[in-house]
Amino acid sequence: GLDDPMGQKINMAVQTDTNESGFSVKYVNPTKTYIITLTDNGSNPTLEVEIAETYNHLYLIGGPVNTSQGGWQLSDAQELEKDTANQYVFYYRGFLMYNSSSDEGGSIKIITSNAGWNPAFHPAGSTNVALSTALRMRLEGADTKWEIPADGSGNGYYIIKLNTAMETIQVLQFTPSNTVYPNSVY
């Protein structure tokens, strides 16, 4: 059989011998969720098994929620709502608009703590991505962001769904608006 693919990529091959036993994942815990990734690289497919990380809190941060002039402030991070049925799903419900008085006024990312910048979720790939086309995300790596256009066409009320186990992000609802809604009411 093959090695244990937990936490590492193992090479896969087409089964030629019917006596081959495949692979086993050691130390499986029935209370944990596992992510199994099979990557087909043509002649060199790989398999990797990881334990899905659980988070108690996620925060949206960036220019659109920045309340002060200049750089982003951790104190401006907006907490996402955790789904009651799925511990890996979070929602942002609120108004986002391009903030011309902020550094990177249309850019956002997701942080796992409002006390520090890392770890953070970013768009999959190596470039910034329009929030309207967001589909995949990744943990850490290059400091890329999701973007709202500077022309105001992306200003409005959003419902955004994130799944940390599947590393997906979806804009479930976008209602365009030129009206600014407050993030807090006192």
Side-chain angles (χ1 to χ4, degrees):
L2 298 170
D3 293 334
D4 180 3
M6 181 64 78
Q8 61 183 328
K9 288 185 179 180
I10 61 170
N11 291 325
M12 302 292 291
V14 175
Q15 182 177 1
T16 55
D17 180 355
T18 57
N19 293 322
E20 290 179 349
S21 60
F23 66 91
S24 64
V25 179
K26 298 176 183 170
Y27 314 113
V28 171
N29 183 328
T31 64
K32 302 230 182 252
T33 300
Y34 297 86
I35 300 169
I36 300 174
T37 305
L38 175 63
T39 305
D40 183 5
N41 297 327
S43 63
N44 186 28
T46 59
L47 182 87
E48 182 177 15
V49 178
E50 304 167 275
I51 297 175
E53 181 75 34
T54 57
Y55 300 95
N56 291 322
H57 306 278
L58 289 182
Y59 301 86
L60 182 143
I61 193 160
V65 297
N66 191 18
T67 60
S68 60
Q69 296 249 335
W72 297 7
Q73 303 296 316
L74 288 169
S75 59
D76 290 331
Q78 300 289 310
E79 186 167 3
L80 279 65
E81 175 188 341
K82 191 170 187 173
D83 190 284
T84 56
N86 186 333
Q87 64 183 333
Y88 300 103
V89 173
F90 292 81
Y91 295 93
Y92 173 82
R93 291 178 172 90
F95 189 82
L96 295 174
M97 66 176 286
Y98 186 88
N99 183 354
S100 59
S101 66
S102 175
D103 178 43
E104 297 182 278
S107 300
I108 61 169
K109 65 181 178 180
I110 306 298
I111 55 178
T112 59
S113 167
N114 63 351
W117 299 104
N118 295 310
F121 284 100
H122 304 270
S126 58
T127 59
N128 289 355
V129 172
L131 182 58
S132 61
T133 63
L135 295 173
R136 304 282 308 155
M137 62 185 192
R138 62 175 162 74
L139 188 62
E140 292 300 85
D143 191 21
T144 57
K145 288 128 182 144
W146 291 281
E147 295 184 324
I148 296 170
D151 66 6
S153 62
N155 296 354
Y157 179 81
Y158 284 84
I159 298 177
I160 302 170
K161 177 183 178 183
L162 291 94
N163 184 315
T164 60
M166 301 302 294
E167 294 190 332
T168 58
I169 178 172
Q170 296 173 272
V171 175
L172 298 179
Q173 179 183 341
F174 168 65
T175 306
S177 176
N178 292 325
T179 305
V180 177
Y181 296 100
N183 286 323
S184 302
V185 177
Y186 301 92

